[in-house]
Amino acid sequence: MKPIRFVFVGQAKAPFFRQAEDHYLEAVNRSIAATRVVVKDARAGRPAERNTAEGRGLLERLGPRDFVVVLDGRGKMYDSLGLAARLRVLVEDPGRAPCFVVGGAYGLSDEVLARADEIVSLGPGTLPHELARVVLLEQIYRATAILRGAPYHH
């Protein structure tokens, strides 16, 4: 199985978000190797300028063999079983490695969206990016539990 990478913009500011990220990343790592890469967030400028700067940082962290899954409200929604099935395909692909990308406070640049191999949504509502990261990590953990037949998923 290929390891999973999570590429996020900026460090989580609130301690409870950092703790939740750490908790679920550790939980995912009990099933499959997973790493988190944090790209510096742009602190000044208009939203479009920030997205462009952050997008450059994200694109620099993506390799040609990465299967890039970006989170965006316009993406495909999966239920837990569907996400588990999709994750199985991604981690078993011998040629590419799954890489989940979450943008900053203003989302993702057009360049990052264009680089995406798949666009996924966590639901119809808008989430703060720090919460979206936690929800993504929890959902990936839940998917790994489903794949292992563990009792976490109810």
Side-chain angles (χ1 to χ4, degrees):
M1 278 200 236
K2 295 276 188 187
I4 301 171
R5 278 192 321 131
F6 298 94
V7 183
F8 299 151
V9 171
Q11 293 288 348
K13 309 291 184 276
F16 53 88
F17 283 131
R18 284 193 305 270
Q19 291 166 351
E21 274 188 38
D22 292 344
H23 170 78
Y24 285 113
L25 187 61
E26 183 180 312
V28 169
N29 266 297
R30 289 193 291 267
S31 298
I32 185 168
T35 58
R36 171 181 43 199
V37 176
V38 177
V39 172
K40 185 173 174 35
D41 56 344
R43 300 202 181 263
R46 289 179 278 174
E49 294 165 343
R50 291 173 72 165
N51 275 3
T52 299
E54 292 168 355
R56 279 193 299 269
L58 289 168
L59 291 170
E60 288 171 3
R61 303 311 187 288
L62 301 176
R65 296 188 59 171
D66 286 333
F67 187 93
V68 178
V69 180
V70 301
L71 264 60
D72 185 86
R74 297 164 287 189
K76 178 179 177 151
M77 287 186 262
Y78 287 97
D79 64 12
S80 295
L81 295 174
L83 182 60
R86 185 70 183 120
L87 184 63
R88 180 187 303 276
V89 170
L90 294 177
V91 298
E92 291 179 352
D93 182 338
R96 303 191 67 196
C99 181
F100 291 86
V101 176
V102 179
Y106 295 101
L108 295 164
S109 68
D110 291 339
E111 294 79 13
V112 174
L113 290 168
R115 172 60 179 86
D117 293 295
E118 185 170 353
I119 301 174
V120 172
S121 173
L122 295 174
T126 301
L127 298 174
H129 69 286
E130 292 176 319
L131 181 57
R133 290 155 49 152
V134 172
V135 172
L136 171 64
L137 287 163
E138 189 281 334
Q139 288 296 292
I140 296 298
Y141 170 59
R142 183 177 296 273
T144 64
I146 291 168
L147 295 175
R148 286 183 294 122
Y152 176 75
H153 176 67
H154 305 276

